[in-house]
């Protein structure tokens, strides 16, 4: 089954083509990061306008990269939510128009399910379920038990900021630019041997996360101490990685999971990947960094595994 996946939930205009949920034939991403960098964050209205301009060229480029024609496709998949309403609308309406014009079924995909299935792309043997998924992005930090394809249990989530959002805000306070995750990771490499310690919110035995206190602590340290920016960045990153990895490992042990599936933009973070692998006694899967951040291939991949549940009517609306 050959699926075209379209993704426009935030500031990446993306289209990918995947065979049988596993083999990636194309993955084209037009990032708007440079446009939003001047504002220090994603401006929703600007994002949707740029999606309109980039969408069809990106779909055409994906078809060319995969060397396939519209008639070769079996379905058109699209992120229906969650995300920015105006951004989602561009992808969803493009997908509807193509599905109608090319007489293909339309498959609605949940953005988080897309991130999860990035772990199935271009791997020799796929991950084994049940697994505990740690999905960490700009909008979400979730611990999910994936019992089987399409069968999930929410184990924990953030009570305030998402992990990626915390990276972006901390980077902004430290004057490191946007997007904050890669900027903090880069700055941390220049840290001294003993960076100051920042607090962690453990929330007792709960699987939930909280990052707003840490964000405030970074702001206070930046204002009140003479610690170098690289040291504060490293302390912040260590605190986030510490909490994410300990909670993921504990949840996986308690659930009897066969593996841990890391995904979402923050999963591109090197220390997060390395620490999780160090601390876990079961296999840890993480997509290559380019498939951690938003892309169309992950949407096409997820659609293969949830096609039956996800075949959507043409009057479907976005779920922001
Ligand atoms: O999944 P994604 O591309 O978009 C959403 O669904 O939100 O995630 C974007 C988030 C941003 O907050 C960005 O700062 C973060 O992922 N991110 C990182 C890294 N690369 C991207 N966070 C930490 N380290 C990174 N290397
Ligand atoms: Zn995402």
């Amino acid at each position: 089954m050959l699926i075209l996946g379209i993704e426009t939930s935030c500031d990446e205009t993306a289209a990918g083509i995947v065979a049988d949920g596993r083999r990636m034939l194309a993955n084209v991403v037009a990032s708007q990061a440079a446009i939003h960098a001047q504002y220090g964050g994603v401006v929703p209205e600007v994002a949707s306008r740029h999606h309109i301009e980039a969408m069809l060229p990106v779909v055409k480029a994906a078809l060319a990269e995969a060397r396939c024609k519209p008639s070769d496709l079996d379905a058109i998949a699209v992120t229906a939510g969650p995300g920015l309403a105006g951004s989602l609308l561009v992808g969803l309406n493009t997908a509807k128009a193509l599905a109608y014009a090319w007489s293909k079924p339309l498959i609605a995909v949940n953005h988080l399910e897309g991130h999860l299935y990035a772990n199935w792309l271009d791997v020799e043997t796929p991950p084994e379920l049940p697994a505990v998924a740690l999905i960490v992005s700009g909008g979400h930090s979730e611990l999910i038990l994936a019992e089987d394809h399409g069968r999930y249990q929410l184990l924990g989530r953030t009570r305030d900021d998402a992990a990626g959002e915390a990276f972006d805000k901390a980077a902004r306070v430290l004057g490191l630019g946007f997007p904050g995750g890669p900027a903090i990771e880069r700055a941390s490499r220049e840290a001294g041997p003993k960076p100051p310690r920042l607090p962690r919110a453990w929330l007792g035995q709960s699987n939930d996360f909280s990052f707003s206190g840490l964000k405030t602590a970074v702001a206070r340290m930046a204002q009140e101490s003479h610690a170098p920016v690289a040291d504060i960045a490293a302390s912040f990153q260590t605190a986030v990685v510490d909490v994410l990895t300990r909670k993921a490992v504990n949840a996986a042990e308690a659930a009897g999971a066969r593996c841990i599936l890391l995904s979402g933009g923050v999963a591109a973070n090197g220390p997060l990947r390395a620490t999780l692998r160090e601390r876990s006694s079961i296999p840890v899967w993480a997509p290559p960094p380019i498939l951690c951040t938003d892309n169309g291939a992950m949407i096409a991949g997820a659609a293969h595994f949830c096609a039956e549940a996800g075949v959507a009517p043409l009057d479907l609306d976005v779920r922001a």
Side-chain angles (χ1 to χ4, degrees), residues 7 9-12 82 111-112 115 136-140 162-168 178-186 189 237 263-272 289 292-295 298:
E7 154 63 42
S9 68
C10 190
D11 62 339
E12 258 94 35
H111 183 74
L112 297 182
H115 275 305
V136 273
S137 70
H140 292 85
E165 188 182 358
F167 267 98
D168 292 337
F178 174 86
I184 293 225
E185 186 176 355
R186 263 194 312 276
R189 292 189 199 120
Q237 182 172 262
S263 65
V266 181
N269 187 271
L272 173 60
C292 289
T293 45
D294 292 348
N295 64 84
M298 70 183 197

Side-chain angles (χ1 to χ4, degrees), residues 4-313:
L4 165 69
I6 290 176
E7 154 63 42
T8 62
S9 68
C10 190
D11 62 339
E12 258 94 35
T13 317
I17 297 175
V18 172
D20 303 324
R22 302 271 309 276
R23 204 157 48 85
M24 200 163 59
L25 302 184
N27 191 34
V28 177
V29 181
S31 172
Q32 304 174 12
I35 296 160
H36 298 287
Q38 60 187 306
Y39 308 111
V42 177
V43 183
E45 183 59 26
V46 174
S48 34
R49 282 164 196 261
H50 280 91
H51 282 312
I52 292 173
E53 285 174 16
M55 188 75 262
L56 287 177
V58 163
V59 169
K60 278 187 186 156
L63 286 167
E65 192 173 303
R67 293 172 195 276
C68 76
K69 307 181 290 300
S71 57
D72 299 330
L73 299 170
D74 293 295
I76 315 288
V78 63
T79 305
L84 301 170
S87 290
L88 289 165
L89 272 172
V90 179
L92 180 60
N93 283 305
T94 303
K96 283 181 187 179
L98 295 180
Y100 183 70
W102 295 342
S103 303
K104 309 288 176 190
L106 176 74
I107 302 174
V109 175
N110 178 296
H111 183 74
L112 297 182
E113 213 167 3
H115 275 305
L116 176 71
Y117 280 101
N119 277 301
W120 268 254
L121 294 174
D122 281 350
V123 293
E124 234 157 72
T125 42
E128 290 182 0
L129 301 179
V132 160
L134 173 62
I135 307 177
V136 273
S137 70
H140 292 85
S141 304
E142 326 253 337
L143 267 176
I144 288 166
L145 175 62
E147 294 167 329
D148 204 345
H149 294 294
R151 252 189 40 221
Y152 310 109
Q153 243 188 76
L154 181 66
L155 302 177
R157 68 192 324 175
T158 182
R159 294 189 187 172
D160 38 61
D161 291 354
E165 188 182 358
F167 267 98
D168 292 337
K169 289 178 177 169
R172 193 166 172 168
V173 165
L174 296 175
L176 292 171
F178 174 86
I184 293 225
E185 186 176 355
R186 263 194 312 276
S188 301
R189 292 189 199 120
E190 312 300 321
K194 276 209 164 201
R197 193 181 161 82
L198 282 163
R200 286 111 169 101
W202 293 109
L203 309 177
Q205 298 298 307
S206 165
N207 286 317
D208 284 352
F209 305 104
S210 166
F211 297 111
S212 72
L214 176 62
K215 188 182 66 188
T216 309
V218 166
R220 197 170 303 140
M221 190 177 274
Q223 271 171 2
E224 295 172 5
S225 83
H226 296 289
V229 164
D231 282 20
I232 305 177
S235 303
F236 168 83
Q237 182 172 262
T238 305
V240 174
V241 166
D242 193 16
V243 173
L244 289 177
T245 54
R246 283 200 195 282
K247 292 208 174 213
V249 167
N250 290 345
E253 273 171 15
R258 301 174 86 160
C259 62
I260 297 178
L261 301 171
L262 182 61
S263 65
V266 181
N269 187 271
L272 173 60
R273 300 161 78 96
T275 310
L276 190 55
R277 291 201 161 111
E278 250 167 58
R279 291 182 175 174
S280 173
S281 56
I282 53 174
V284 172
W285 290 78
I290 187 78
L291 294 176
C292 289
T293 45
D294 292 348
N295 64 84
M298 70 183 197
I299 301 304
H304 175 83
F305 295 100
C306 62
E308 263 167 54
V311 171

